[in-house]
């Protein structure tokens, strides 16, 4: 039987005036009807280039296909997608083969209502009337479980949450009932509960339509929930392929073993996470290939004893309100409660985890502790001083002690500044080092501390990978010698092995410099590994708090139980 899609000896090169980059090297892969094949690998492994090549979405030049075929079987007829004209491809894209992109906000047109964008595909490929296309669109919005589908039809992308935008993308990809669906990292930055819902939805629609699916991800936990077969990509090559059972129980390639072993869920608190380089260089001494850590058998760690610790931060009845509606004169008439009367302490030298879904108020709370968002009421006492009473000038002095590591390092770095200048800038403002020579020396020391060569200080942010940019942002935060760091989703979008490197780095710096951390995340498995205690937030309020292991292994709140159940686990 002919596969639905067959990639044969495909190579993809990017050619410029000065160099040639081999992004994909002579790979072969088949996808059958009714089958989900996962392509797994880190950023730069070639998995997205492979998927974009199927629909010829890479610009030519610089993309070039020196050899290979991409064969698609439609109604018993096999065609090579690489040989089709633009017009022939247009008839296939979104109709026979559809794609769900990684970032829905940049994939959806911001000036078109969500319903109109889905209708567009139906009007082009199904030749329906506008009335029929609208009815079909609303029906698909119901099928992907969007709330109030008739109202979502008229809303714009910025008015929807991340999970809702992703559902609109799924409806757009599915409305023409394609034979092959390509999912390119569709759940990477989503909350675990939203991720679980999206994965279930893709699986349900795939079975209902008997589609073939290519699911691209770097998270093997996600793969275990959805895939039939797995192809592991590393540096443009498929280094291992097999069923889910084979890959997880008897993986052979060191890179595959590394991807499985890097996940924090497999390791007790305090144990250094293995990295890809450990396995590829034969340094690992953990024999992790057969080690599947049973979470239920883990014993709670002792953690920090609060009685022996001094509270560095005390939050008392803190509330933050944002205006929701205003009068004609601009005066607020109603408010949204982002943080609702919360109280807790953070002890010197500990890592406190703050967990919840998007919109629960955790980022607002973290920024309010640094006075980046102004509180509506309550107290924030840092080292005995109520910082809510400080003037703007006094808050500048506070910046030396408290720093923030942002979620997206790329958007938090000025693209026109070298990383050396970006790291030195806060020092100059705060007068930490008096001369340019001293600041340059300090920048070199900070880069070395976060395992980056000091010689890279003259390069720009776009020249680094995501993990390297995260290290640069950490170095910048350390430049003022802070005592308290707020890490806002600082590893949520990183590959598992890069995530392991950054988590190891944070733990090392915490021990070396005596830092206190507030670690904000939606992933309870990462928080459990990193943190001494956990606070769980829902709708602006704290619903549960306690030692990390106690909260993870014996959750009391139904909301916490739901978060833990949604964490993808490998249980083969």
């Amino acid at each position: 039987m002919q596969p639905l899609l067959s990639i044969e000896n495909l190579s993809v090169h990017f050619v410029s005036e000065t160099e040639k980059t081999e992004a994909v090297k002579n790979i072969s892969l088949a996808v059958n009807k009714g089958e989900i094949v996962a392509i797994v690998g880190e950023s730069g492994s070639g998995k997205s280039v492979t998927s974009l090549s199927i629909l010829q979405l890479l610009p030519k030049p610089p993309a070039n296909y020196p050899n290979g075929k991409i064969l698609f079987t439609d109604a018993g007829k096999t065609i090579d997608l690489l040989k089709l004209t633009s017009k022939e491809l247009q008839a296939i894209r979104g109709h026979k083969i559809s794609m769900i992109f990684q970032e829905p906000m940049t994939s959806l047109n911001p000036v078109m209502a969500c319903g109109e964008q889905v209708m567009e595909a139906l009007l082009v490929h199904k030749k329906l009337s506008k009335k029929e296309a609208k009815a079909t669109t609303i029906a698909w919005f119901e099928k992907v479980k969007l709330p109030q589908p008739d109202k979502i039809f008229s809303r714009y992308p910025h008015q929807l949450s991340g999970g809702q935008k992703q559902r609109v993308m799924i409806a757009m990809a599915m409305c023409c009932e394609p034979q092959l669906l390509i999912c390119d990292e569709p759940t990477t930055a989503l909350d675990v509960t939203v991720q679980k819902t999206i994965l279930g939805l893709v699986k349900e629609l795939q079975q209902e339509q008997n589609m073939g699916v290519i699911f691209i991800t770097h998270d093997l936990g996600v793969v275990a929930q959805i895939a039939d077969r797995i192809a592991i990509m590393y540096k443009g090559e498929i280094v291992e392929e097999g069923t889910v059972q084979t890959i997880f129980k008897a993986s052979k390639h060191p890179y595959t073993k590394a991807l499985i072993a890097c996940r924090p869920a497999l390791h007790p608190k305090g144990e250094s996470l293995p990295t890809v380089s450990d396995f590829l260089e034969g340094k690992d001494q953990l024999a992790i290939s057969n080690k599947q850590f049973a979470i239920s058998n883990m014993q709670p760690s002792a953690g920090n004893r609060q009685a022996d610790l001094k509270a560095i931060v005390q939050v008392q009845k803190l509330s933050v309100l944002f205006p929701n509606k205003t009068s004609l004169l601009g005066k607020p008439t109603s408010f949204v409660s982002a943080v609702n009367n919360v109280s807790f302490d953070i002890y010197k030298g500990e890592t406190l985890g703050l967990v919840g879904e998007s919109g629960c108020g955790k980022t607002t709370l973290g920024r309010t502790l640094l006075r980046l968002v102004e509180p509506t009421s309550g107290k924030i006492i840092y080292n005995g001083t109520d910082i809510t009473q400080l003037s703007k000038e006094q808050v500048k002095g506070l910046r030396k002690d408290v720093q923030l590591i942002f979620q997206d390092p790329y958007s938090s770095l000025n693209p026109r500044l070298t990383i050396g200048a970006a790291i030195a800038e806060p020092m100059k403002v705060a007068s930490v080092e008096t001369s340019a020579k001293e600041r340059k020396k300090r920048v070199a020391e900070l880069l070395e501390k976060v395992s980056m060569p000091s010689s890279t200080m003259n390069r720009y942010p776009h020249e680094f990978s995501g993990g390297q940019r995260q290290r640069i942002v950490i170095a910048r935060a350390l430049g003022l010698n802070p005592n308290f760091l707020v890490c806002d989703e600082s590893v949520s979008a990183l590959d598992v092995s890069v995530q392991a490197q950054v988590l190891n780095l944070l733990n090392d710096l915490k021990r070396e410099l005596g830092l206190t951390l507030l670690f904000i995340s939606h992933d309870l498995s990462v928080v459990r590994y990193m943190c001494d205690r956990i606070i769980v937030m829902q709708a602006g309020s704290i619903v549960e708090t306690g030692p990390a292991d106690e909260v993870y292994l014996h959750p009391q709140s139904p909301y916490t139980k739901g978060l833990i159940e949604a964490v993808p686990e490998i249980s083969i």
Side-chain angles (χ1 to χ4, degrees), residues 284-511:
D284 68 290
Q285 303 295 320
L286 302 173
I288 300 200
S289 55
N290 297 316
K291 173 186 173 182
Q292 289 297 322
F293 228 75
I295 297 292
S296 58
N297 293 331
M298 283 187 182
Q299 296 302 312
S301 62
N304 284 345
R305 295 193 314 173
Q306 295 175 22
D308 299 335
L309 298 172
K310 173 191 173 186
I312 190 172
V313 178
Q314 295 170 285
V315 178
Q316 299 174 359
K317 297 183 178 179
L318 186 70
S319 294
V320 180
L321 301 177
F322 291 123
N324 187 29
K325 293 181 180 178
T326 57
S327 66
L328 289 173
L329 299 175
K331 185 177 180 180
T333 56
S334 69
F335 296 86
V336 173
S337 180
V339 177
N340 183 24
N341 200 37
V342 304
S343 299
F344 60 92
D345 294 337
I346 305 175
Y347 297 95
K348 187 172 178 60
E350 83 165 340
T351 302
L352 178 68
L354 183 56
V355 180
E357 297 174 284
S358 293
C360 73
K362 59 187 188 296
T363 292
T364 300
L365 176 56
R367 295 190 175 204
T368 304
L369 296 187
L370 305 181
R371 284 283 302 272
L372 295 174
V373 172
E374 291 299 324
T376 305
S377 61
K379 294 182 177 181
I380 305 167
I381 299 170
Y382 175 74
N383 278 338
T385 301
D386 185 357
I387 67 171
T388 63
Q389 302 301 314
L390 299 182
S391 66
K392 287 187 177 180
E393 205 57 42
Q394 289 171 317
V395 168
K396 283 185 181 178
L398 179 72
R399 297 282 178 252
K400 292 182 182 180
D401 265 359
V402 296
Q403 283 287 304
L404 174 65
I405 300 173
F406 292 91
Q407 179 173 358
D408 182 357
Y410 192 63
S411 63
S412 65
L413 290 169
N414 188 331
R416 293 181 294 179
L417 290 181
T418 64
I419 63 161
I423 295 170
E425 188 177 37
M427 301 182 212
K428 187 176 181 180
V429 171
S431 302
V432 170
E433 303 290 351
T434 54
S435 70
K437 185 177 180 181
E438 288 174 343
R439 285 194 292 272
K440 186 174 181 180
K441 182 181 176 184
R442 175 72 173 145
V443 168
E445 290 172 356
L446 287 166
L447 286 171
E448 295 290 347
K449 192 178 287 291
V450 297
S451 303
M452 292 280 292
S454 58
S455 58
T456 59
M457 69 170 69
N458 295 319
R459 292 166 60 187
Y460 289 86
H462 72 272
E463 299 180 71
F464 297 92
S465 68
Q468 289 172 324
R469 284 196 289 263
Q470 195 62 273
R471 290 169 183 269
I472 293 163
V473 169
I474 292 171
R476 183 177 61 181
L478 295 174
L480 301 182
N481 301 312
N483 293 317
F484 178 49
L485 274 181
V486 175
C487 307
D488 185 11
E489 297 276 15
S490 51
V491 297
S492 63
L494 298 179
D495 298 331
V496 284
S497 61
V498 178
Q499 181 188 80
Q501 294 170 22
V502 173
L503 293 178
N504 285 340
L505 173 63
L506 287 172
N507 277 330
D508 291 343
L509 292 171
K510 181 188 169 186
R511 284 189 291 267

Side-chain angles (χ1 to χ4, degrees), residues 203-315:
K203 186 85 173 175
E204 180 185 322
L205 293 173
Q206 179 260 340
Q207 291 174 342
E208 184 182 304
Q209 305 287 335
N210 195 33
M211 290 186 303
V213 175
I214 295 176
F215 196 95
I216 295 167
T217 184
H218 62 254
D219 189 340
L220 280 166
V222 168
V223 169
Q225 309 295 309
I226 198 168
D228 299 306
R229 285 191 298 116
I230 302 173
I232 306 291
M233 284 197 77
Y234 177 62
K235 291 187 176 179
E237 299 179 286
I238 293 178
V239 296
E240 190 163 3
E241 186 180 354
T243 64
V244 174
Q245 294 271 353
T246 303
I247 293 295
F248 288 123
K249 284 194 170 183
S251 56
K252 295 177 181 177
H253 198 277
Y255 182 68
T256 310
K257 294 177 183 178
L259 290 180
I260 295 171
C262 288
R263 294 174 303 117
L266 297 179
H267 302 274
K269 194 183 281 88
E271 181 181 284
S272 183
L273 297 173
T275 62
V276 167
S277 60
D278 294 334
F279 282 79
L280 295 179
E281 295 168 15
K283 294 178 182 178
D284 68 290
Q285 303 295 320
L286 302 173
I288 300 200
S289 55
N290 297 316
K291 173 186 173 182
Q292 289 297 322
F293 228 75
I295 297 292
S296 58
N297 293 331
M298 283 187 182
Q299 296 302 312
S301 62
N304 284 345
R305 295 193 314 173
Q306 295 175 22
D308 299 335
L309 298 172
K310 173 191 173 186
I312 190 172
V313 178
Q314 295 170 285
V315 178

Side-chain angles (χ1 to χ4, degrees), residues 515-527:
L515 297 173
T516 303
L517 304 181
L518 176 65
F519 192 87
I520 300 171
S521 179
H522 60 254
D523 189 339
L524 263 163
S525 63
V526 173
V527 170

Side-chain angles (χ1 to χ4, degrees), residues 518-561:
L518 176 65
F519 192 87
I520 300 171
S521 179
H522 60 254
D523 189 339
L524 263 163
S525 63
V526 173
V527 170
R528 180 187 183 240
Y529 168 78
M530 281 293 293
C531 301
D532 302 295
R533 290 186 300 127
I534 294 177
I535 290 174
V536 182
M537 281 190 77
Q538 180 186 21
S541 299
I542 293 174
V543 296
E544 187 164 356
T545 183
D549 289 316
E550 286 297 327
V551 172
Y552 194 91
L553 297 174
H554 308 292
Q556 302 301 308
S557 162
Y559 178 72
T560 310
K561 290 177 183 176

